[in-house]
């Protein structure tokens, strides 16, 4: 990629932003929509997996995301 929007700094910031949102979404709940797993939880897992693979250093700072991953 030659476009600057895909550089490491921007992707790290983007994954941090996603992790913050996912962690908030999961706060106080077993799954993203409550106590039962739904199709949305698979999307949450895939997004968390991408973030973990790209930004492992920050992943452990989001305990709710770590819990479901």
């Amino acid at each position: 990629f030659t476009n600057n929007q895909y550089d490491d700094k921007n992707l790290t910031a983007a994954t941090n932003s996603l992790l913050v949102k996912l962690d908030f979404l999961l706060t106080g709940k077993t799954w993203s929509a409550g106590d039962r797993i739904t199709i949305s939880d698979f999307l949450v897992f895939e997004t968390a997996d991408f973030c973990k693979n790209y930004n492992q250093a920050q992943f452990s700072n989001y305990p709710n995301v770590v819990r479901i991953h």
Side-chain angles (χ1 to χ4, degrees):
F1 296 99
T2 58
N3 187 329
N4 285 341
Q5 89 181 63
Y6 297 110
D7 68 12
D8 285 345
K9 182 179 175 184
N10 287 335
L11 281 174
T12 299
T15 56
N16 280 337
S17 176
L18 283 170
L19 287 168
V20 167
K21 291 172 186 172
L22 292 177
D23 199 65
F24 178 77
L25 174 71
L26 295 164
T27 299
K29 297 182 261 181
T30 304
W31 300 102
S32 64
D35 292 332
R36 296 175 61 180
I37 192 169
T38 64
I39 193 81
S40 66
D41 293 300
F42 294 96
L43 180 59
V44 169
F45 178 86
E46 290 297 325
T47 304
D49 193 52
F50 169 79
C51 292
K52 181 180 182 182
N53 287 329
Y54 193 81
N55 193 0
Q56 290 182 352
Q58 294 296 317
F59 189 79
S60 62
N61 293 334
Y62 303 95
N64 293 310
V65 180
V66 170
R67 177 178 49 81
I68 62 102
H69 192 265

